[in-house]
Amino acid sequence: MQENRMHLTPRLRTIMQQVPEGARLVDIGTDHALIPTALLRRGVIQSAIASDLREGPLDSAARTAKQFEVEHKLSLRLGGGLQTVKPDEADTIVIAGMGGETIAQILADDAWALDGAHLLLLQAMTAQPYLRQYLAAHGGVIQKESLCREGQRIYTVMTVVGGGKREQKKLSACCISDALLRDPMAEEYIHKLLHREQKIAHSLETAKHQKPEELHMHREMIAVLSQALHALGKDD
């Protein structure tokens, strides 16, 4: 089989680019196991574990591994979150394609992931501010936040290590990270977030039933995003 027959989306490729050479990888919520399979075929990683909560995705993972002839190098695990993995079995953890609240819960259930000895690659489909807020409160340091475009959406991939200072942050302060500002696509992404927040705030302002606390939070997010654009020299 030729590797170019494996369909790797920009989101998956961005995650893969953050995986260190020689890593011992675990992919949580692996689905078709495309990330570990591609990295094993390229000889980038030492070993890989593909874990999923459901049997269906693991069956797909097994087919992928067999198709690309890495089935003997990929360990398949059935179970929720990191409960299928021992801390010393992996040094790099991928949790991708889930909501930010779900990712935070996975980390809360197995706190060893943020012990500072593991590299975390987190790609949240939703609720990114909540995930950043959780990481800050539990010593997770976002070393890098990579942006990639896929269709009409821009996705973020957080490269995180634990063991940092624990900070209690307001949710509005977590709508972006300092690391994200270093990405070349930061301006475009922040503009998208700002326009979305402005639309939400306008809807809340004109709603028949007022939600003052929710409106206040979105106004705070607008202020944070506007300030970030100003810092980039790209005022809206």
Side-chain angles (χ1 to χ4, degrees):
M1 294 289 180
Q2 294 297 314
E3 188 171 275
N4 60 14
R5 295 186 61 185
M6 182 182 293
H7 178 61
L8 297 170
T9 65
R11 180 175 64 91
L12 297 183
R13 289 198 298 268
T14 299
I15 296 168
M16 290 170 55
Q17 288 166 1
Q18 316 311 315
V19 177
E21 188 170 352
R24 293 176 296 123
L25 181 77
V26 56
D27 184 20
I28 301 300
T30 192
D31 199 9
H32 288 74
L34 293 176
I35 290 175
T37 297
L39 291 171
L40 284 168
R41 278 181 57 79
R42 295 175 183 179
V44 174
I45 57 177
Q46 287 186 47
S47 61
I49 298 168
S51 181
D52 207 286
L53 185 61
R54 297 170 295 151
E55 291 185 2
L58 279 186
D59 290 341
S60 297
R63 289 193 293 271
T64 301
K66 184 175 182 180
Q67 178 184 1
F68 293 98
E69 302 176 347
V70 297
E71 67 270 24
H72 59 293
K73 299 179 181 178
L74 182 64
S75 175
L76 302 177
R77 310 278 175 90
L78 177 65
L82 286 160
Q83 296 171 16
T84 62
V85 185
K86 296 178 181 178
D88 60 357
E89 287 187 290
D91 52 40
T92 303
I93 300 168
V94 171
I95 311 178
M98 306 178 196
E101 293 180 348
T102 300
I103 295 175
Q105 187 59 57
I106 289 171
L107 298 178
D109 289 342
D110 290 278
W112 57 263
L114 286 170
D115 61 5
H118 297 83
L119 181 71
L120 281 65
L121 302 176
L122 310 177
Q123 189 275 306
M125 303 295 281
T126 60
Q128 293 90 352
Y130 182 90
L131 178 56
R132 294 189 193 98
Q133 185 184 50
Y134 177 86
L135 292 170
H138 295 82
V141 179
I142 303 176
Q143 295 183 324
K144 183 179 181 182
E145 192 157 357
S146 306
L147 300 173
C148 69
R149 183 182 290 103
E150 191 169 305
Q152 297 299 311
R153 294 192 63 176
I154 297 178
Y155 294 97
T156 75
V157 178
M158 303 177 195
T159 301
V160 178
V161 292
K165 179 182 177 182
R166 297 179 179 231
E167 298 181 85
Q168 300 298 324
K169 292 186 176 182
K170 297 173 70 172
L171 188 63
S172 58
C174 299
C175 57
I176 53 174
S177 69
D178 291 341
L180 186 149
L181 296 176
R182 297 192 291 269
D183 189 276
M185 292 176 62
E187 178 196 348
E188 180 183 356
Y189 182 66
I190 294 170
H191 269 296
K192 282 180 175 288
L193 293 182
L194 179 58
H195 293 159
R196 185 182 70 185
E197 290 300 321
Q198 289 171 333
K199 186 176 180 180
I200 293 171
H202 177 71
S203 178
L204 290 169
E205 286 167 350
T206 57
K208 183 177 180 180
H209 301 288
Q210 295 293 301
K211 299 178 180 178
E213 291 185 3
E214 187 176 345
L215 176 58
H216 179 70
M217 182 191 69
H218 287 287
R219 283 174 172 168
E220 286 186 333
M221 286 189 172
I222 289 170
V224 170
L225 294 168
S226 297
Q227 184 177 2
L229 283 175
H230 179 72
L232 289 171
K234 305 289 183 179
D235 293 59
D236 189 43

